[in-house]
Amino acid sequence: MAKPKVAFYWCASCGGCEETVVDLAEDILGLVEKVEIVLWPVAMDFKYRDVEALPEGGIVATFLNGAIRSTEQAELARLLRRKSRYMIAYGSCAHMGGVPGLANLYGREELLRFNYEGSPSVVNEGKVRPRVEHEEGGHRLHLPELHAGVRALDQVVEVDYYVPGCPPTPLVTKAAVGALLEGRLPERGSVLAPDVALCSECPRRESKPVDLALGELVRPHQRVLDGTKCFLAQGVVCMGPATRAGCGGQCMGGNMPCTGCFGPTSRVRDQGAKMLSSLCSNLGPKDEAGVDAVLGGMPDPVGTLYRYGLAKSLLRRKVGV
Amino acid sequence: MNEAAKQAFNAGNLAANAAVGAARRRRVSIDPITRLEGHGKIEIFLDEGGGVERAYFQVPELRGFEVFAVGRPAEEMPQITSRICGVCPTAHHMAATKCLDSLYGVEPPAAGRKIRELVYHTFMLEDHALHVYVLGGPDFIVGPEAPAAERNIVGVIGKVGVEVGKRVIAMRRRLRELIAYFGGKVVHPVLGLPGGVSKGLAKEDLPRFQALAQEGLEFAQFTLGVFKDLVLKNPEYVKLITGEAYTHQTCYLGMVDGQNKVNFYDGQLRVVDVGGKELMKFAGAKYLDYVAEHVEPWSYMKFTYLKPLGWRGFVEGAGTSVYSVAPLARLNASEGFTTPLAQRAYDEYFTVLGGKPVHHTLANHYARVVEMVYAAERMVELLNDPEITSPEVRVIPTRTPVEGVGVVEAPRGTLIHHYRTDERGVITMANLIVATAHNATRIAMSVDRAAKGLIREGKVTEGLLNKVEMAFRAYDPCLGCATHSLPGHLPLEARVYNHRGELVDLVRRD
């Protein structure tokens, strides 16, 4: 029997997801032997033509990481969608837009202007910009066009499953691949990770008070952090209550709070709103001035609460950009 | 025929010839090139005779981190900027963390600084090892002309033995475990804070890390031996390394300590000219006076040059404003290493390659192995320093932040982070010059040179494609792929078009 065909592709991403795939290769060689990889640009022969030649649904699953930022990325996402039975958004950029999604707070023009004119190290009197079509000396050159904003994968094509994390852990990845190969897939649209909040698996959960009564919010550089105690109990914003479990509390292991890369659980529509609501209901002061004083300790609510999920949140992007 | 008529006739002839010539020109596209962090392509334009007029190295991507950093709390920058690259997140993490020290005017306590250096040198060793065995290895250990199916990590293991292959994988995993011990996770670590690190080293964990460092050092020395045996003893490879197609007379930039010794973590930036003489030396905070970026309309990547000399184009030789970074550049821009085994390897390196400076792009691979020895020796030093287990790993910053610059030597070269903030420490301006940007100008030249040197009469072969690829691979340009070529294929496809833009030939490497 022919092995099931699997594809890996990356869009606007950092390569960290690819690192995880490789980190797991050592572990699950047996599993990898069960599939035929038909596209993996970073590791194997790369032929759009071969993908185009496959029948619709000829690929069992495509694991796509990275957000959609350019025309080229959108085209490849659509091609792979057509060819794949399952499209899997792999990692927080494909899942929710990821860190690059913070660019939606700015317009494309602002990006280009700073990079090619405004940056203090740029010397560009002629205000030259990269161009989609350019000709010099009879040489015609082409570049993909940047989209106006960053989109998560399911804002461009239909997605069947999500593997969360920035990057996903080898363990979560192994479980997802196993579920796929053994036909143990949950309901379409599911995130392939535990559906409980990170606090439930946090090594510090015993020290989380029932009533936080936050009297102040402290930024991690402002205080020496206790290596054993709940971050929220120390006044540090930790996204644990609004974030899905499955990473094993890695950042806590480094004595730093969760920043939310696994996204929300299935019962939460908007991760940032959920966290804000959780924080606000746990504030010590009840008067307006007192509330403002505490929240003043979080100078960047959007970047803190939507670090990985802005592109998919209810906010989406700033008005007017 | 009168003179005016003759001139008009000649001019007409010239124009007609030029039109015919243009129609005969062809284009060879290498799209995508691979083993790049992100995407890249090479466009090669041929002249009438099938020689190369010009080859362009294009980067078709921009994510805009500098812009969307604005509005974020500065202390988040070590984690945000590590998302620029998941292969070298530790380099961005550390440059950002040092930038925060500068921003807040705070120095970490001894143990905090030493833990940062320990994590950083562990990362350098692990990352360099991958390039040597997985990325650069296939071309040299197996051979540039070897069948494509063997020119990969599997071929490397075939050549050096399964035991060595296992040793590489195990060593990498254990080195990465050390990084995760402090950083929480290895991809996108979290340890960096202004004034120190988030976590110290427990005394009971010290012995196993000391043993690991010692093994790391033995591994680095072993790797140097492998490189010497398989590459330097092979006259064909030495000829390739020193060949004209891969040689550029440019300036070099690298970070050095007070004695001009290589330093990955801290020091001054030193530039040497094409003759190897010191041209500039400056603190990272002064980078804007010395380096600048030029924009071309055909790539999203900017092209860096030495600012006092001005942009002089993609031109090498005396007076050039083109410089490069990364292992080759670091060895050229310094006067050795502080550790004995690395110093010995440094001296030997210049003896073997015919003196300083070395202008051969492919010598980056050799320089990388020399640096592995240094990184491992430094790990051993740090883990035998009694201060490393001190619980004093942080100083809490108190100064009102304004502006900071942080610089480290990433595996791929000098990495500069520069932030300005408001009084709350919220970013108002961020400027980053990453290693591959410093190298962009020279990489573009290298690809052009390799294509010109290798393509004759329009003949495109699979071996040629690999050799063109080798021109940029030597720089290890932020290659997400360093760890990603386990199955070992080098995916490349070249399409050859005729003057009507029709596809006439397709060369693929399988």
Side-chain angles (χ1 to χ4, degrees):
Chain A
M1 202 177 78
K3 292 179 181 178
K5 292 181 170 61
V6 171
F8 294 96
Y9 194 70
W10 60 355
C11 289
S13 58
C14 72
C17 289
E18 306 276 344
E19 281 272 356
T20 296
V21 174
V22 173
D23 278 350
L24 119 172
E26 193 187 340
D27 241 8
I28 59 154
L29 275 176
L31 208 53
V32 168
E33 279 169 10
K34 292 178 190 158
V35 301
E36 179 191 348
I37 298 174
V38 293
L39 178 72
W40 195 6
V42 294
M44 304 187 78
D45 205 352
F46 179 86
K47 305 170 194 93
Y48 291 155
R49 204 176 68 160
D50 292 346
V51 176
E52 282 161 4
L54 288 170
E56 308 283 301
I59 300 171
V60 169
T62 289
F63 289 78
L64 191 147
N65 74 75
I68 308 297
R69 167 91 257 186
S70 76
T71 49
E72 184 182 70
Q73 290 157 358
E75 280 163 25
L76 261 295
R78 283 193 283 266
L79 171 66
L80 288 163
R81 171 68 277 186
R82 282 203 306 279
K83 302 297 178 183
S84 309
R85 268 173 63 201
Y86 298 113
M87 173 60 90
I88 298 174
Y90 185 76
S92 65
C93 294
H95 179 199
M96 305 182 291
V99 169
L102 290 172
N104 288 359
L105 294 168
Y106 299 89
R108 175 177 49 194
E109 170 59 22
E110 283 173 280
L111 242 62
L112 294 170
R113 197 189 312 130
F114 181 83
N115 267 279
Y116 303 110
E117 294 167 33
S119 153
S121 46
V122 163
V123 176
N124 185 9
E125 283 156 8
K127 298 193 188 307
V128 174
R129 294 260 183 102
R131 296 165 56 178
V132 173
E133 299 291 346
H134 172 71
E135 184 164 340
E136 62 179 45
H139 304 152
R140 260 202 323 273
L141 294 149
H142 174 83
L143 287 171
E145 187 165 22
L146 298 185
H147 285 157
V150 173
R151 284 180 290 174
L153 184 59
D154 67 4
Q155 291 169 321
V156 179
V157 297
E158 277 186 57
V159 167
D160 299 294
Y161 294 101
Y162 304 83
V163 180
C166 183
T169 61
L171 214 61
V172 167
T173 305
K174 195 173 152 181
V177 175
L180 181 78
L181 291 182
E182 290 155 30
R184 291 183 284 103
L185 284 166
E187 190 190 343
R188 192 174 167 276
S190 298
V191 176
L192 304 178
D195 200 11
V196 290
L198 177 61
C199 294
S200 70
E201 68 174 14
C202 178
R204 305 179 181 203
R205 70 177 179 276
E206 299 304 324
S207 59
K208 185 180 176 186
V210 178
D211 179 13
L212 284 168
L214 287 164
E216 60 173 347
L217 288 179
V218 179
R219 289 155 67 185
H221 69 293
Q222 292 173 324
R223 186 172 293 169
V224 172
L225 303 175
D226 186 319
T228 59
K229 198 170 151 192
C230 170
F231 284 104
L232 285 161
Q234 299 182 61
V236 176
V237 176
C238 175
M239 291 290 288
T243 300
R244 186 182 285 266
C247 69
Q250 294 179 109
C251 293
M252 287 84 185
N255 197 22
M256 289 290 276
C258 169
T259 54
C261 75
F262 266 54
T265 64
S266 66
R267 293 168 300 284
V268 173
R269 168 68 187 87
D270 187 283
Q271 187 182 15
K274 167 75 179 171
M275 189 63 207
L276 191 61
S277 143
S278 167
L279 281 176
C280 290
S281 60
N282 279 294
L283 293 181
K286 301 297 173 200
D287 61 302
E288 196 173 328
V291 167
D292 281 351
V294 179
L295 292 181
M298 181 170 63
D300 173 29
V302 173
T304 306
L305 305 172
Y306 296 96
R307 171 74 57 83
Y308 308 90
L310 185 64
K312 270 303 285 293
S313 72
L314 292 171
L315 299 182
R316 295 282 170 92
R317 56 188 301 140
K318 204 166 161 181
V319 174
V321 305
Chain B
M1 203 185 285
N2 70 34
E3 199 55 31
K6 205 187 270 178
Q7 276 182 10
F9 179 79
N10 285 341
N13 258 355
L14 280 174
N17 287 342
V20 171
R24 282 190 189 151
R25 283 174 182 158
R26 295 192 308 174
R27 164 200 295 248
V28 180
S29 300
I30 304 180
D31 181 18
I33 55 171
T34 54
R35 299 179 174 202
L36 264 181
E37 201 279 296
H39 307 257
K41 67 171 171 171
I42 296 172
E43 294 281 359
I44 304 170
F45 291 92
L46 306 185
D47 61 22
E48 290 175 59
V52 172
E53 273 186 5
R54 173 95 189 255
Y56 295 82
F57 176 77
Q58 294 182 275
V59 174
E61 198 182 34
L62 173 73
R63 283 174 294 161
F65 272 79
E66 291 148 314
V67 171
F68 68 71
V70 172
R72 313 283 83 78
E75 72 275 11
E76 299 293 335
M77 291 298 275
Q79 290 190 40
I80 291 173
T81 60
S82 72
R83 268 72 185 191
I84 290 170
C85 178
V87 179
C88 48
T90 314
H92 283 285
H93 190 75
M94 210 56 84
T97 302
K98 285 189 65 195
C99 190
L100 296 179
D101 291 347
S102 158
L103 181 72
Y104 280 99
V106 62
E107 273 296 312
R113 179 189 165 110
K114 283 169 187 170
I115 285 170
R116 283 192 197 167
E117 284 194 56
L118 171 64
V119 168
Y120 203 66
H121 287 84
T122 307
F123 158 69
M124 290 292 275
L125 176 59
E126 171 242 341
D127 196 280
H128 273 1
L130 270 173
H131 194 272
V132 169
Y133 284 100
V134 183
L135 187 64
D139 288 330
F140 283 91
I141 299 176
V142 185
E145 304 286 349
E150 289 170 26
R151 207 170 45 226
N152 53 52
I153 181 64
V154 179
V156 170
I157 290 172
K159 195 95 175 188
V160 300
V162 174
E163 286 312 305
V164 176
K166 283 185 180 165
R167 190 173 170 186
V168 173
I169 291 167
M171 185 49 70
R172 171 177 185 260
R173 192 186 63 242
R174 292 173 60 209
L175 291 169
R176 284 165 77 85
E177 278 166 10
L178 185 153
I179 297 170
Y181 176 90
F182 295 99
K185 49 207 284 224
V186 65
V187 180
H188 310 318
V190 299
L191 72 150
L193 285 163
V197 292
S198 59
K199 186 182 171 182
L201 171 54
K203 278 200 175 67
E204 61 268 27
D205 295 318
L206 182 63
R208 68 182 166 108
F209 288 141
Q210 283 174 328
L212 173 63
Q214 200 55 50
E215 284 175 56
L217 179 55
E218 284 158 23
F219 175 71
Q221 288 174 279
F222 167 78
T223 303
L224 184 60
V226 169
F227 191 86
K228 284 185 195 169
D229 283 348
L230 294 180
V231 180
L232 299 181
K233 284 186 184 162
N234 184 330
E236 286 294 309
Y237 292 173
V238 173
K239 209 172 125 192
L240 191 73
I241 291 171
T242 56
E244 193 55 29
Y246 300 104
T247 298
H248 292 292
Q249 306 264 333
T250 65
C251 304
Y252 299 96
L253 165 69
M255 193 153 66
V256 294
D257 70 8
Q259 277 66 53
N260 288 336
K261 305 288 187 185
V262 171
N263 199 305
F264 296 148
Y265 177 80
D266 204 12
Q268 291 222 306
L269 296 176
R270 187 173 193 240
V271 180
V272 296
D273 66 15
V274 295
K277 270 175 53 190
E278 183 177 303
L279 191 61
M280 304 163 187
K281 194 172 172 183
F282 54 98
K286 297 276 180 208
Y287 80 102
L288 286 175
D289 296 335
Y290 295 91
V291 299
E293 296 172 292
H294 165 82
V295 183
E296 287 284 339
W298 44 267
S299 182
Y300 282 110
M301 186 154 72
K302 293 177 277 191
F303 297 91
T304 309
Y305 62 96
L306 294 168
K307 194 172 186 179
L309 304 180
W311 173 252
R312 297 178 181 184
F314 297 91
V315 176
E316 59 186 277
T320 179
S321 62
V322 178
Y323 66 96
S324 79
V325 297
L328 170 76
R330 280 193 284 258
L331 267 54
N332 280 335
S334 70
E335 288 167 10
F337 288 93
T338 55
T339 57
L341 296 171
Q343 179 61 41
R344 197 191 301 163
Y346 176 93
D347 292 336
E348 197 180 352
Y349 168 89
F350 285 109
T351 305
V352 167
L353 293 173
K356 228 172 134 182
V358 169
H359 291 297
H360 310 307
T361 302
L362 297 178
N364 258 307
H365 298 292
Y366 186 1
R368 195 170 284 120
V369 183
V370 174
E371 288 193 339
M372 280 175 68
V373 177
Y374 170 67
E377 279 184 294
R378 191 76 189 113
M379 278 180 73
V380 173
E381 277 183 357
L382 288 160
L383 281 159
N384 285 295
D385 187 321
E387 268 180 336
I388 194 91
T389 51
S390 161
E392 304 299 319
V393 295
R394 275 185 71 190
V395 169
I396 301 298
T398 53
R399 206 174 81 174
T400 304
V402 181
E403 185 164 8
V405 176
V407 183
V408 294
E409 283 294 328
R412 294 145 190 95
T414 313
L415 171 61
I416 302 171
H417 281 218
H418 175 198
Y419 315 144
R420 288 188 203 120
T421 69
D422 65 15
E423 70 286 353
R424 297 171 303 159
V426 172
I427 301 285
T428 55
M429 193 288 300
N431 191 39
L432 315 172
I433 303 185
V434 306
T436 300
H438 289 292
N439 274 333
T441 315
R442 191 173 146 132
I443 292 175
M445 288 161 61
S446 294
V447 167
D448 186 52
R449 166 73 54 81
K452 282 176 176 159
L454 296 161
I455 296 180
R456 301 269 186 244
E457 297 170 1
K459 292 201 176 86
V460 183
T461 66
E462 192 277 330
L464 170 142
L465 295 179
N466 188 48
K467 285 185 173 174
V468 173
E469 239 200 339
M470 281 166 66
F472 72 76
R473 191 179 303 134
Y475 298 90
D476 185 10
C478 199
L479 293 163
C481 324
T483 54
H484 301 136
S485 50
L486 272 172
H489 295 270
L490 301 183
L492 261 186
E493 182 171 300
R495 290 183 289 280
V496 182
Y497 298 89
N498 69 10
H499 62 280
R500 287 190 294 274
E502 295 158 349
L503 188 68
V504 294
D505 196 8
L506 180 76
V507 184
R508 289 191 307 192
R509 177 160 48 206
D510 292 310

